[in-house]
Amino acid sequence: MKTYSLLCSLVAFVAMGCSTSEDTSTIPTENEVEETSYDADYALLQKSNGQLSVQSLKVTDSGIDLSEADSTFESTPSPELTFRQGSIFAYYTKVTDCDGQVTLHDFEDNESRTLDVFEDLLDCSLMVSSIAFDADNLYVAYTKEETSKIDKYYVRILDLSSEVSNAIDIELDKKPVQMAIANARLFVLTLDLDVTNEYELSIVNLATKAVIHEKGLGYNVGHIFTDTQDQIIISYKELHTVLNSSTFGVKYVNYDTATAPGFYGSENNCFDESGRMFYIKTSDSNPIGIPAVYDFSNNLVLLYIYSNFLTASELEFEFKIGQASMVSYDNENHVLIVGYQKSDDENKGGLLRIQLEPEPKFLDNLDLNAVPYQFFYKD
């Protein structure tokens, strides 16, 4: 009960902090409010029994429901390494100890492409730790065992426009952990396993294919990712760092315990058109997760607590809401979409839709025979 009271007060604080900018706009009267159209087509990636599959969805004014629209996305064992950019989802599949493939699926065009990543290597042992891509290239970070005591670290770059083998390897001096792309540069989070056990950022100029800058990051880095301003966000539990991708200048944003946004361990975050980030906030006191929005421009967090929209009976018995599994945002309709796992079945889940404007309101729930993973919008 103490945690719940703290979270509710946090929501009230953020709403008050945002009210100043809202006061300058004209609020329509009840008769002037236009009806919102919720028509939309979605593709939902979902997990069940170790498999990743797609489910098409249709939204009309009457609500959200399953759709029979075809998708060329083929079901696959749930991948450990993924990367998303817009409507394109990529995942890595290990083929042998010395080979692997990356599949890229565009949910807008409904097309897939699979690339062999290490077809030039023979009789080796390697471990891929991260993938990323942009419009031109695919990036694969990996560790290659040279001897039983010596490992070498690389980022492999493959030209997506070429139909023949074109791999370029950039050697790193520390183990690559994760990658982000901004301003025609590749930012590689690395970990020094040999001496300090500290993290570092290696920055690769994609024009020259060379490391141009390195920056120490210390211990306990969570994730790195690119925001809508092409800045690199480096997350820690107690703060986050904003790195200018052009000048490499940094800004540190420290948290108070009560107002920490808690995106340190969050994955599959998404942004709206204004740059707000939608994610799942977890903590030791609330491990199932809370849908949250973080405003980087004002350093404010807003939590959407289920009990503000649903009754105790709906939460526990009707919808059986367990672990939050994903969160997304429909910019066109101003609707927050929350995926969750059923509390009584780890292989089933559901979707909640919450209208955010002009004020938060629960719209509907859709039960699913799998757990929502990622959401894609179709024009």
Side-chain angles (χ1 to χ4, degrees), residues 44-48 51-52 323-326 339-342 345-350 368-374:
L44 172 69
L45 282 177
Q46 56 184 10
K47 291 183 176 182
S48 182
Q51 289 289 119
L52 183 68
Q323 178 75 43
S325 61
M326 57 136 277
Y340 64 90
Q341 184 182 64
K342 291 292 185 181
D345 191 333
E346 64 179 11
N347 289 306
K348 292 186 178 181
L368 298 164
N369 287 322
V371 180
Y373 176 62
Q374 288 207 37

Side-chain angles (χ1 to χ4, degrees), residues 6-23 259 276 293 295 298-304 308-309 356 358-360:
L6 174 62
L7 296 176
C8 283
S9 65
L10 181 56
V11 172
F13 167 76
V14 174
M16 291 168 60
C18 294
S19 63
T20 302
S21 60
E22 294 177 354
D23 290 342
T259 59
R276 297 182 303 170
V293 182
D295 181 350
N298 296 302
N299 296 321
L300 293 175
V301 61
L302 179 62
L303 307 180
Y304 289 92
N308 287 346
F309 308 97
L356 298 192
E359 61 183 29

Side-chain angles (χ1 to χ4, degrees), residues 50-53 73-79 89 91 93:
Q51 289 289 119
L52 183 68
S53 62
F73 184 89
E74 297 183 359
S75 296
T76 182
S78 296
F89 174 77
Y91 62 91
T93 303

Side-chain angles (χ1 to χ4, degrees), residues 191-208:
L191 179 61
D192 185 350
L193 294 175
D194 296 325
V195 182
T196 67
N197 208 36
E198 294 185 59
Y199 288 91
E200 189 172 280
L201 200 63
S202 295
I203 303 171
V204 178
N205 184 320
L206 294 178
T208 62

Side-chain angles (χ1 to χ4, degrees), residues 95-116:
V95 177
T96 68
D97 287 342
C98 193
D99 198 9
Q101 297 177 329
V102 171
T103 299
L104 300 98
H105 183 87
D106 190 334
F107 283 94
E108 184 65 38
D109 297 335
N110 201 22
E111 294 179 349
S112 285
R113 178 184 180 186
T114 299
L115 293 88
D116 291 317

Side-chain angles (χ1 to χ4, degrees), residues 211-225:
V211 176
I212 58 172
H213 187 71
E214 293 182 327
K215 181 175 181 59
L217 300 178
Y219 300 100
N220 302 320
V221 176
H223 295 284
I224 63 170
F225 55 89

Side-chain angles (χ1 to χ4, degrees), residues 10-243:
L10 181 56
V11 172
F13 167 76
V14 174
M16 291 168 60
C18 294
S19 63
T20 302
S21 60
E22 294 177 354
D23 290 342
T24 62
S25 61
T26 302
I27 305 299
T29 64
E30 183 176 352
N31 293 331
E32 292 175 332
V33 175
E34 295 182 2
E35 291 187 5
T36 302
S37 172
Y38 296 111
D39 289 355
D41 292 300
Y42 302 135
L44 172 69
L45 282 177
Q46 56 184 10
K47 291 183 176 182
S48 182
N49 294 306
Q51 289 289 119
L52 183 68
S53 62
V54 68
Q55 172 63 61
S56 297
L57 302 171
K58 178 73 174 178
V59 178
T60 64
D61 288 341
S62 60
I64 186 170
D65 207 347
L66 305 181
S67 167
E68 296 181 357
D70 292 333
S71 175
T72 59
F73 184 89
E74 297 183 359
S75 296
T76 182
S78 296
E80 294 184 4
L81 299 177
T82 66
F83 188 84
R84 175 179 177 174
Q85 188 75 267
S87 64
I88 303 177
F89 174 77
Y91 62 91
Y92 177 79
T93 303
K94 180 179 178 179
V95 177
T96 68
D97 287 342
C98 193
D99 198 9
Q101 297 177 329
V102 171
T103 299
L104 300 98
H105 183 87
D106 190 334
F107 283 94
E108 184 65 38
D109 297 335
N110 201 22
E111 294 179 349
S112 285
R113 178 184 180 186
T114 299
L115 293 88
D116 291 317
V117 180
F118 301 109
E119 58 185 353
D120 59 311
L121 300 182
L122 299 173
D123 191 24
C124 69
S125 178
L126 58 84
M127 179 67 67
V128 173
S129 52
S130 179
I131 63 171
F133 66 86
D134 56 23
D136 300 314
N137 300 307
L138 170 68
Y139 309 98
V140 181
Y142 70 100
T143 301
K144 184 170 177 284
E145 183 182 283
E146 295 294 321
T147 69
S148 60
K149 295 183 178 180
I150 300 175
D151 289 334
K152 287 194 174 182
Y153 310 116
Y154 302 93
V155 170
R156 172 161 288 210
I157 302 179
L158 297 98
D159 185 347
L160 290 173
S161 65
S162 176
E163 297 297 329
V164 298
S165 179
N166 58 78
I168 298 174
D169 280 333
I170 299 173
E171 187 169 357
L172 305 172
D173 60 359
K174 299 174 181 65
K175 180 183 178 180
V177 177
Q178 192 187 355
M179 296 182 288
I181 305 165
N183 195 32
R185 290 160 176 170
L186 182 68
F187 295 79
V188 186
L189 178 67
T190 63
L191 179 61
D192 185 350
L193 294 175
D194 296 325
V195 182
T196 67
N197 208 36
E198 294 185 59
Y199 288 91
E200 189 172 280
L201 200 63
S202 295
I203 303 171
V204 178
N205 184 320
L206 294 178
T208 62
K209 308 294 191 295
V211 176
I212 58 172
H213 187 71
E214 293 182 327
K215 181 175 181 59
L217 300 178
Y219 300 100
N220 302 320
V221 176
H223 295 284
I224 63 170
F225 55 89
T226 309
D227 69 5
T228 57
Q229 303 299 314
D230 237 14
Q231 302 175 117
I232 301 299
I233 308 298
I234 305 163
S235 67
Y236 302 82
K237 286 186 177 180
E238 68 281 1
L239 61 87
H240 71 262
T241 301
V242 181
L243 175 74

